Amino acid sequence: MAEEYDLKRDFAKTPEPPMERKSGQGQLRFVIQKHRASQLHYDLRLELDGALKSWAVPKGPSLNPADKRLAMMVEDHPIDYGAFEGIIPEGYGAGEVIVWDTGTYAPDEEADPRFFDREEAVAEMRRGFEKGKLGIFLMGSKLKGSYALVRMKGKDKEWLFFKHKDTFSSETKDILTEDRSVLSGLAIDDLQSGILPPNYVDYGAPAKMDRKMRPMAAVSATEPFDSDDWIYEPKLDGIRILAFLEEGKAQLFSRNGNDLTKQYPSIVESLSKQPLSSAILDGEIVAFNEKGYPSFHVLQQRMHLTNEKDIAVAEAQVPAVLFLFDLIYKEKKSYAAAPVTERKRLLKQSILPDNRVCVVDHFETHGKAAYRACVASGFEGIIAKKRNSRYEIGNRSKNWVKIKDSHSEEFVVGGYTTGMGGRSSTFGALLLGVPEERGLRFVGGVGSGFDDRQLSELLPKLKEIETEDNPFIEVPPLKAKAKWVKPQMVAEVNYHEFTPEGHLRAPVFKGIRIDKGPADVEVTEFIDMTTATSNNVESALEQIEKAKHDTVIKLDRGEFKVTNPDKVLWPRSGYTKRDLLRYFALVSPFLVPHLESRPLTLSRYPNGIDKGMFYQKHWEHGLPSFVTKVDLFSNNEDQEYLVCDNMETLLWLGQLADLELHPWTSRTEPNPDAIGKPTIYTGSEEQIQESILNYPDYMLFDIDPYIYSGKESKGAEPEYNKKAFDKGREIAFKVKELLDSLGLKSFIKTSGKTGLHIYVPILRDFTYTQTRSAGQTISAAVMAAHPKEVTLEWTVDKRTGKIFMDFGQNARGKTLASIYSPRAVEGAPVSMPVSWEKLQDIWPGDFDIKTVPEILKDTGDPWKDILKAKNDLGKLLGLST
């Protein structure tokens, strides 16, 4: 018998998922969708019996217990509807939909949320439905705490939805002002303006809890920066902690694996009460000074305590709080591969904050303002995290960047000087070093920043590890008498800078780090996020201008040799290898993101475009250290392909006279829409067919005019001519009309010659073979509508006078010239992306290696967000995976 939900919808028209009742596992889910139909309302949905029980709430949820919201019960919706965002076409429920909030829920019987026992929770919910009274405890990003759903007396569909008074209720806060989706970040108005929400990806991968894992670490930067691609959170001055939760039991471990569970009983108690059956959480334990600012100095008063009575006193006198900022594992699933924004969403909806455990909020895009606000509030600075970054277990990554108000680092203690005067009974200074292969490299001593208590407590600890052996590579140039210690203790020190001799200038002691060992110590290389890219480009340009034969170019990631920089590559235009290198340096910030993670086919012209070329897919020689490579199965064997992931590689390719850049349309990076697809590309044809490299990001249409100028030599391809380009442009607009009618968003660029390339970004749900089939269907439809102008003929002689639509480029290993790639024809033209609006007014000759850098400086990259605009072929073209 057909479900009521299905009977109300035409699935040939609506993008909504059809009904399919699914048995679930783990905690019950809830979702609240904001829906602008004939009237704006909110749809409350609760998972039960394989579907989502649903109510339309016209006025939306409220945090005020006095607000009793009408909730009209509607038909059950499928479980998959819980992640649906998009536009419902004319018909039932037409309008825009976003996921306003989502999370888990449980029956709220006697204030005992049953988040662990699914079977018991389901039984309680069924009983509540029979009575017409449901108490539910929500764990969402926006809504938390106890709510009620009560069926109105004598009514069948009419219920009341309201908040119970608890920690999370508020009589003043209007929660509806938070109007964006918790999944995509989009608002209803964004959908109406044409922005497509990405398909939700469940990044959770079944896994066992790894109790030996170590946290991800950040690099240091010199200045705060603003970027839409990053988020920003306060830099906390405390002890880094990984919290492990399992069946109501919590344990705390420092970054070097020390068990700190017994030292913070209040935090452990709070974590143990969280509605989580299993989790690994990342955070920082912090104590506050008298001004309410985080203070590592205050925290030290309890860091070293081991006696239960002393710890109990410290709990009252020096209370500590665990600030959580990441979730790596939950309910038998690893979320390490999820973007940090998704992990933060899951964390926020998983934790009930109290006075011992809370969740760190973050700032969007405005890093400089976040930095100023955090420093003014007493924090050390900020941590910037790349929005799409994974959790790199145990690694220090440039995807996390710390920017502090003052320089502070950890150093290994290698000795101390005897005290004089008022310190004659303790010590004068700690002698500090950085581990190197031969031993500790001395970086100076620190004698300021200690109070009397610290001096008295540290001296016996130093005496315990005294040794006759000097741990430093050389004897430090000291005036005071020194005593050596085994290099086991780590001190954190503020300092202004390093002197030219490599010593600390103006060091001030902050504290001893019990959460770090000597192996964790390294002097961080500071990077300038605001100028690093531009400085690297400027350095490259300066060296390129001065380059002579066999000049070594030295850049951030390494060096390479330039040979014959003045060799002419485009003879009649006079453009040289130096011109090509200059162009690659200038456009690298725009070009490299489109090449990252994609195998490359090189088109090399070592003696210029008139003197022969060769394709090179596989590299058999030594490579510079900055060049990324990928091994994959090709031509019946495993071969090594190159990938261009940075400016240095791009310039090195220029040195090889790789005039044209031909990347694959598939890539090795799984985020965000190919999590779980195999990443083994070697061994056999079957292996690569199963792998992520067999799932392209784009469906392509190569608009190739076979309209001749009359000046071509016999058998030659049509030359660059206006008549051919005008006809190709006309057909491109007709292709766009068809794509628009199918709801497919498309992008266009010049080929750099006479043709045009149309790119349709797609979710990586379909293989090359399936994508080619879709491209062929669309191309055939265009030809059927315009048979006198368009052809799909593979025989060149039969294409004359027509536009050849080459859908055959949708094949693994076949490539088109990249966006911003130069072309090996006179004039050094460039394959240039343009907006559909501007296509009517351009000519391919407008774009060459001289003009494009200036154009990009003014306009930016029109394809910057192309991978955020992906189309779902499965829904729109009826294909299946």
Side-chain angles (χ1 to χ4, degrees):
M1 181 176 177
E3 295 264 9
E4 180 183 355
Y5 171 90
D6 286 345
L7 293 173
K8 290 182 175 182
R9 289 162 175 82
D10 181 353
F11 293 106
K13 296 179 180 179
T14 182
E16 298 165 285
M19 173 57 81
E20 180 184 357
R21 291 186 179 266
K22 296 181 178 180
S23 57
Q25 294 180 335
Q27 298 172 356
L28 295 171
R29 309 292 301 176
F30 86 91
V31 64
I32 296 179
Q33 284 161 313
K34 188 175 181 180
H35 185 181
R36 182 158 60 189
S38 56
Q39 290 185 332
L40 179 67
H41 65 279
Y42 294 76
D43 293 309
L44 167 64
R45 312 192 194 281
L46 303 176
E47 178 189 358
L48 189 67
D49 295 330
L52 297 174
K53 298 292 184 185
S54 297
W55 294 260
V57 184
K59 291 187 177 181
S62 172
L63 302 183
N64 188 347
D67 294 335
K68 303 296 191 290
R69 301 301 204 204
L70 175 65
M72 297 296 296
M73 195 167 189
V74 298
E75 73 275 11
D76 288 358
H77 282 53
I79 294 294
D80 290 346
Y81 210 99
F84 171 70
E85 295 188 312
I87 300 176
I88 302 173
E90 288 300 320
Y92 179 73
E96 300 85 10
V97 177
I98 61 170
V99 175
W100 183 80
D101 197 17
T102 188
T104 57
Y105 85 95
D108 191 16
E109 184 70 17
E110 298 178 357
D112 179 22
R114 298 170 187 176
F115 281 87
F116 299 149
D117 193 327
R118 181 183 178 91
E119 186 175 333
E120 185 180 352
V122 168
E124 181 62 37
M125 287 297 293
R126 288 171 179 163
R127 288 191 290 268
F129 264 102
E130 288 181 12
K131 296 176 183 178
K133 183 179 179 181
L134 298 170
I136 54 175
F137 195 98
L138 302 182
M139 288 287 292
S141 297
K142 296 174 182 175
L143 300 186
K144 278 186 169 63
S146 181
Y147 281 80
L149 270 165
V150 179
R151 187 163 51 223
M152 296 173 69
K153 190 173 182 179
K155 304 292 185 181
D156 183 26
K157 300 293 186 182
E158 296 176 31
W159 296 60
L160 293 177
F161 177 51
F162 55 92
K163 182 83 181 73
H164 285 144
K165 190 170 184 178
D166 59 16
T167 307
F168 307 100
S169 59
S170 172
E171 296 179 2
T172 57
K173 183 177 180 180
D174 182 3
I175 192 66
L176 299 184
T177 60
E178 299 182 20
D179 64 346
R180 293 192 170 272
S181 163
V182 295
L183 296 187
S184 66
L186 298 176
I188 287 287
D189 288 341
D190 293 327
L191 298 187
Q192 195 174 52
S193 68
I195 299 176
L196 295 174
N199 272 25
Y200 174 70
V201 177
D202 182 359
Y203 292 90
K208 293 182 178 179
M209 180 179 285
D210 179 8
R211 289 186 168 274
K212 295 182 179 180
M213 69 166 283
R214 295 293 179 263
M216 181 175 176
V219 301
S220 293
T222 53
E223 299 290 339
F225 59 95
D226 292 337
S227 172
D228 291 342
D229 296 329
W230 294 72
I231 61 173
Y232 309 88
E233 63 189 35
K235 171 72 175 72
L236 301 167
D237 193 11
I239 299 176
R240 183 76 175 278
I241 287 292
L242 285 181
F244 295 81
L245 281 66
E246 199 158 19
E247 299 300 336
K249 182 180 179 182
Q251 289 182 286
L252 306 177
F253 290 88
S254 68
R255 73 179 75 201
N256 58 353
N258 291 334
D259 189 342
L260 304 182
T261 306
K262 293 182 179 179
Q263 291 177 252
Y264 301 95
S266 294
I267 291 174
V268 171
E269 181 183 5
S270 175
L271 285 172
S272 299
K273 293 178 179 178
Q274 294 295 330
L276 289 164
S277 62
S278 64
I280 301 176
L281 309 172
D282 194 353
E284 191 117 352
I285 291 179
V286 171
F288 297 88
N289 61 20
E290 67 280 358
K291 294 181 180 179
Y293 293 168
S295 171
F296 186 70
H297 177 76
V298 172
L299 187 61
Q300 286 182 89
Q301 296 176 33
R302 60 175 299 176
M303 281 173 52
H304 306 282
L305 301 179
T306 56
N307 182 277
E308 285 188 19
K309 291 184 179 180
D310 293 338
I311 292 171
V313 172
E315 284 279 272
Q317 296 181 349
V318 190
V321 179
L322 174 58
F323 284 89
L324 295 169
F325 48 73
D326 218 320
L327 179 150
I328 306 105
Y329 179 91
K330 178 183 177 182
E331 315 301 349
K332 300 181 180 180
K333 286 185 176 182
S334 170
Y335 289 91
V340 65
T341 49
E342 173 68 2
R343 300 197 307 272
K344 281 184 168 292
R345 182 185 72 79
L346 292 170
L347 174 66
K348 191 173 183 180
Q349 72 178 46
S350 300
I351 296 297
L352 292 171
D354 57 22
N355 61 354
R356 286 294 176 263
V357 174
C358 56
V359 175
V360 177
D361 212 343
H362 65 271
F363 301 82
E364 300 276 348
T365 69
H366 302 298
K368 294 178 182 178
Y371 176 81
R372 291 192 298 269
C374 287
V375 170
S377 299
F379 294 101
E380 281 191 304
I382 59 173
I383 299 281
K385 296 181 177 179
K386 202 162 188 180
R387 189 177 291 275
N388 65 353
S389 61
R390 309 179 189 186
Y391 194 94
E392 300 177 41
I393 295 173
N395 288 339
R396 185 178 299 278
S397 170
K398 289 186 177 180
N399 288 323
W400 284 15
V401 179
K402 56 186 176 183
I403 306 108
K404 296 197 280 189
D405 188 33
S406 61
H407 291 169
S408 72
E409 291 293 339
E410 290 86 27
F411 301 95
V412 177
V413 178
Y416 64 97
T417 60
T418 55
M420 300 176 63
R423 292 194 182 178
S424 58
S425 61
T426 54
F427 63 90
L430 297 179
L431 305 178
L432 307 174
V434 176
E436 293 185 351
E437 287 187 13
R438 294 183 296 150
L440 282 185
R441 174 171 59 83
F442 180 69
V443 296
V446 57
S448 63
F450 299 94
D451 58 27
D452 291 340
R453 181 187 60 79
Q454 289 171 320
L455 290 166
S456 298
E457 289 180 354
L458 266 177
L459 184 61
K461 290 182 171 65
L462 291 167
K463 287 185 175 295
E464 284 179 10
I465 56 174
E466 273 189 23
T467 177
E468 295 295 323
D469 300 324
N470 171 19
F472 295 103
I473 297 170
E474 297 176 351
V475 177
L478 303 173
K479 296 179 181 179
K481 184 178 179 181
K483 292 183 179 292
W484 311 123
V485 299
K486 297 174 183 177
Q488 299 173 354
M489 187 181 291
V490 175
E492 183 171 1
V493 175
N494 281 331
Y495 63 97
H496 181 64
E497 62 183 356
F498 279 99
T499 69
E501 295 77 25
H503 294 163
L504 299 173
R505 179 168 285 152
V508 178
F509 177 77
K510 284 191 67 178
I512 298 297
R513 304 296 312 218
I514 64 167
D515 57 331
K516 293 188 177 182
D520 300 312
V521 173
E522 57 183 33
V523 176
T524 305
E525 175 189 358
F526 282 83
I527 58 174
D528 185 346
M529 296 296 291
T530 59
T531 58
T533 300
S534 59
N535 283 351
N536 205 27
V537 171
E538 290 299 323
S539 174
L541 289 170
E542 182 177 346
Q543 294 179 71
I544 289 166
E545 295 304 322
K546 296 177 180 178
K548 298 179 180 178
H549 181 62
D550 284 351
T551 293
V552 174
I553 304 291
K554 297 182 179 181
L555 297 168
D556 285 355
R557 293 178 178 85
E559 61 186 44
F560 66 95
K561 185 183 291 185
V562 170
T563 59
N564 300 320
D566 294 315
K567 175 177 284 187
V568 176
L569 299 178
W570 287 271
R572 289 182 290 284
S573 307
Y575 292 142
T576 64
K577 182 186 288 186
R578 192 189 308 273
D579 293 319
L580 176 66
L581 293 173
R582 186 188 297 115
Y583 170 75
F584 277 163
L586 289 168
V587 302
S588 59
F590 307 94
L591 173 53
V592 170
H594 294 282
L595 301 176
E596 286 178 345
S597 303
R598 302 184 187 278
L600 272 177
T601 297
L602 279 56
S603 301
R604 296 182 58 186
Y605 294 77
N607 297 306
I609 64 171
D610 287 345
K611 296 185 178 179
M613 62 82 66
F614 60 96
Y615 291 110
Q616 188 166 4
K617 295 184 178 182
H618 321 296
W619 193 261
E620 300 173 353
H621 314 291
L623 287 173
S625 59
F626 48 76
V627 178
T628 303
K629 59 185 180 180
V630 58
D631 292 329
L632 56 88
F633 190 83
S634 176
N635 295 328
N636 297 314
E637 63 179 345
D638 290 340
Q639 300 195 14
E640 188 176 271
Y641 276 62
L642 304 184
V643 178
C644 184
D645 283 341
N646 50 60
M647 182 189 74
E648 287 82 351
T649 299
L650 185 60
L651 293 178
W652 176 73
L653 292 173
Q655 151 59 25
L656 298 180
D658 179 22
L659 303 193
E660 297 188 351
L661 303 162
H662 289 260
W664 284 28
T665 54
S666 56
R667 57 195 162 97
T668 58
E669 169 55 50
N671 279 330
D673 59 340
I675 298 295
K677 285 188 169 58
T679 54
I680 299 174
Y681 327 114
T682 56
S684 68
E685 179 65 16
E686 289 75 18
Q687 288 273 58
I688 195 167
Q689 284 182 357
E690 291 293 323
S691 79
I692 193 175
L693 280 180
N694 199 37
Y695 290 81
D697 284 296
Y698 305 106
M699 178 168 57
L700 305 178
F701 300 93
D702 184 1
I703 309 298
D704 200 353
Y706 273 76
I707 299 171
Y708 294 79
S709 69
K711 300 178 182 178
E712 295 87 351
S713 58
K714 186 176 181 180
E717 293 276 311
E719 72 172 14
Y720 204 47
N721 70 87
K722 188 174 187 304
K723 181 180 178 183
F725 181 75
D726 285 344
K727 178 55 69 173
R729 174 164 47 196
E730 177 184 335
I731 297 303
F733 279 117
K734 294 184 186 300
V735 176
K736 182 180 186 296
E737 287 176 10
L738 178 56
L739 294 173
D740 287 349
S741 73
L742 295 170
L744 293 169
K745 188 171 184 179
S746 58
F747 295 72
I748 192 162
K749 68 182 181 73
T750 67
S751 69
K753 298 181 181 179
T754 313
L756 291 163
H757 298 156
I758 297 174
Y759 279 51
V760 178
I762 57 174
L763 294 173
R764 286 183 285 175
D765 291 335
F766 298 96
T767 65
Y768 274 103
T769 300
Q770 293 167 321
T771 305
R772 185 181 186 276
S773 177
Q776 182 176 6
T777 300
I778 292 172
S779 298
V782 175
M783 184 182 72
H786 308 282
K788 294 182 179 180
E789 300 165 288
V790 176
T791 181
L792 304 185
E793 277 288 346
W794 294 105
T795 305
V796 173
D797 291 343
K798 295 182 180 180
R799 301 175 187 169
T800 302
K802 293 185 177 183
I803 302 298
F804 175 54
M805 280 190 67
D806 187 0
F807 59 84
Q809 297 294 345
N810 295 292
R812 189 179 74 244
K814 285 203 170 185
T815 59
L816 292 175
S818 168
I819 178 176
Y820 305 124
S821 172
R823 302 309 303 270
V825 295
E826 273 306 331
V830 166
S831 180
M832 186 69 178
V834 294
S835 68
W836 283 104
E837 291 76 13
K838 292 184 179 179
L839 177 61
Q840 192 61 54
D841 302 321
I842 61 100
W843 167 245
D846 298 338
F847 312 114
D848 60 33
I849 63 173
K850 292 289 187 181
T851 61
V852 166
E854 288 300 316
I855 294 171
L856 288 175
K857 194 183 298 182
D858 294 333
T859 65
D861 179 9
W863 281 22
K864 177 185 176 184
D865 294 324
I866 189 170
L867 290 183
K868 296 179 181 178
K870 288 202 167 189
N871 300 278
D872 187 339
L873 283 183
K875 290 181 179 178
L876 295 168
L877 298 180
L879 298 178
S880 58
T881 56

